[in-house]
Amino acid sequence: MLNGKKILYSGMQATGTLTLGNYLGALKNWVNLNEEYECIYGVMDLHSLTVRQVPADFRKNARALYALYVAAGLDPEKNCIYYQSHVSGHAELGWILGCFTYMGELNRMTQFKDKALRHEDNINAGLYTYPVLMAADILLYQADVVPVGQDQKQHLEITRDIAKRFNAIYGDVFTIPEGYISQSGAKIMSLQDPVKKMSKSDENVNATILLLDGRDSIIRKFKRAVTDSDTVVRYAEEKPGISNLMDIYSCVTGKDYAAIEKEFDQKGYGEFKMAVGEAVADELEPLQKRYQSLMDDKAYIDSMIKKNDEKAAYYASKTLRKVQKKVGLTERMF
Ligand code: TRP
């Protein structure tokens, strides 16, 4: 608990630009959570180092992610939005927790196995201990709830296991975090292969809507979206392309499936795709404008980063000191 509210923690990696999937599946749903929770969001730049980064681009991407958080509606005065690498406690707690994590557990992580296959030339130890750092992120802030997508559930599970193991030895040090399932939001799939998740690393540019794509390119990509040979706009498992477009349309307009089916009754896929494209472009336009003005206002972003980094560092140090003491490290005198 913090300021009388439960603590919610999440974050995204600072690599490349975000996709419509990141936005509709996560970011958009984080806005307003601060009414119920004390919300802390990290720019997860240490995690991004598990794959090779070009330093100048990396720095720009991290800042862009910060600005996108704010542009999407997360008020940095009401949410603690900070840089993971600016709080040294993540790395310090990560080390300690690594000593309470078994290789057998890490060997079972499906994301490690997938990434190891994709980056065969750079299967580094950081990639392997990625879940330990993620556990440190969450436990450092005593988070009660963590909104994560399906692909991060296993990492949240191992976080809980590590925390319980630690608590069993040293007493109630860590809050055991729960997953946060949001009411709205959906898993957005590729526009070209709708059984695959929409991903920024997709080779086919038409598969993915980037948050900073212009109106024309958004509409063009939706026009080319892969559907099926049927003609009816209907939500069904055997129609993954149309169902995905319906999910997207529903997220941006707030209409449910029945209303969408009715709206496009007797109308072709072409008209539907066009409507989805327009709706998405309309949704993203104000966000993109805010993003641009934030990127131009260096002093404002800098001041928010500084203020929130300090706040995060303060919360983190409380947990870290406690952990260091519990495991028997000698108290420091400076
Ligand atoms: N691994 C997460 C992802 O790629 C990002 C992340 C890092 C995270 N640390 C976290 C998410 C802590 C939630 C909580 O999506």
Side-chain angles (χ1 to χ4, degrees), residues 9-13 44 47 130 134 137-138 146 148 152 155:
Y9 188 94
S10 201
M12 290 181 185
Q13 281 203 53
M44 298 307 184
H47 277 108
Y130 181 113
M134 183 158 159
D137 302 335
I138 296 167
V146 183
V148 287
Q152 297 297 316
H155 291 161

Side-chain angles (χ1 to χ4, degrees), residues 245-265:
L245 295 182
M246 285 178 72
D247 273 330
I248 294 172
Y249 194 64
S250 167
C251 281
V252 296
T253 62
K255 293 174 187 169
D256 63 16
Y257 299 146
I260 299 170
E261 285 169 5
K262 197 156 161 244
E263 182 178 350
F264 295 96
D265 185 31

Side-chain angles (χ1 to χ4, degrees), residues 88-99:
S88 55
H90 291 259
E92 292 179 74
L93 183 61
W95 172 259
I96 295 175
L97 295 182
C99 301

Side-chain angles (χ1 to χ4, degrees), residues 199-240:
S199 159
K200 55 189 156 201
S201 51
D202 206 303
E203 279 143 39
N204 186 340
V205 293
N206 289 320
T208 306
I209 303 287
L210 300 176
L211 273 198
L212 298 176
D213 276 347
R215 176 172 290 269
D216 292 349
S217 120
I218 292 173
I219 288 172
R220 184 165 10 94
K221 288 178 184 179
F222 276 108
K223 271 192 191 155
R224 292 184 186 164
V226 168
T227 47
D228 52 58
S229 53
D230 188 20
T231 52
V232 187
V233 175
R234 182 170 59 85
Y235 202 90
E237 204 178 327
E238 69 277 12
K239 293 163 70 71

Side-chain angles (χ1 to χ4, degrees), residues 51 112-124 127:
V51 295
F112 171 70
K113 289 189 244 182
D114 291 349
K115 285 190 183 171
L117 282 176
R118 271 190 285 134
H119 303 277
E120 262 182 334
D121 53 335
N122 184 17
I123 307 177
N124 59 70
L127 206 55

Side-chain angles (χ1 to χ4, degrees), residues 3-182:
N3 306 324
K5 289 184 195 163
K6 284 191 169 182
I7 301 168
L8 180 144
Y9 188 94
S10 201
M12 290 181 185
Q13 281 203 53
T15 31
T17 49
L18 299 186
T19 69
L20 184 66
N22 299 129
Y23 177 65
L24 297 180
L27 202 44
K28 184 174 155 79
N29 309 299
W30 294 353
V31 177
N32 299 329
L33 287 176
N34 67 290
E35 284 163 18
E36 192 176 344
Y37 299 98
E38 199 61 45
C39 295
I40 307 174
Y41 299 107
V43 170
M44 298 307 184
D45 50 358
L46 293 176
H47 277 108
S48 306
L49 285 176
T50 54
V51 295
R52 205 62 73 224
Q53 302 289 338
V54 177
D57 296 346
F58 181 29
R59 202 170 288 123
K60 264 190 222 137
N61 285 334
R63 194 170 176 95
L65 176 60
Y66 197 100
L68 279 174
Y69 278 163
V70 179
L74 293 181
D75 181 349
E77 303 274 7
K78 296 188 182 142
N79 299 271
C80 181
I81 311 175
Y82 77 105
Y83 276 64
Q84 181 190 33
S85 65
H86 294 179
V87 177
S88 55
H90 291 259
E92 292 179 74
L93 183 61
W95 172 259
I96 295 175
L97 295 182
C99 301
F100 293 86
T101 308
Y102 297 111
M103 287 180 65
E105 291 179 293
L106 294 177
N107 289 339
R108 284 198 290 275
M109 295 292 120
T110 55
Q111 189 164 70
F112 171 70
K113 289 189 244 182
D114 291 349
K115 285 190 183 171
L117 282 176
R118 271 190 285 134
H119 303 277
E120 262 182 334
D121 53 335
N122 184 17
I123 307 177
N124 59 70
L127 206 55
Y128 186 63
T129 58
Y130 181 113
V132 181
L133 181 61
M134 183 158 159
D137 302 335
I138 296 167
L139 301 178
L140 200 49
Y141 297 92
Q142 305 288 357
D144 296 283
V145 288
V146 183
V148 287
Q150 194 60 39
D151 61 333
Q152 297 297 316
K153 285 233 171 90
Q154 202 183 23
H155 291 161
L156 184 60
E157 235 7 85
I158 195 175
T159 301
R160 289 165 54 87
D161 291 343
I162 296 168
K164 285 182 195 160
R165 184 172 305 140
F166 194 96
N167 284 357
I169 306 172
Y170 301 105
D172 274 341
V173 177
F174 294 124
T175 302
I176 309 297
E178 305 276 345
Y180 177 88
I181 317 291
S182 87

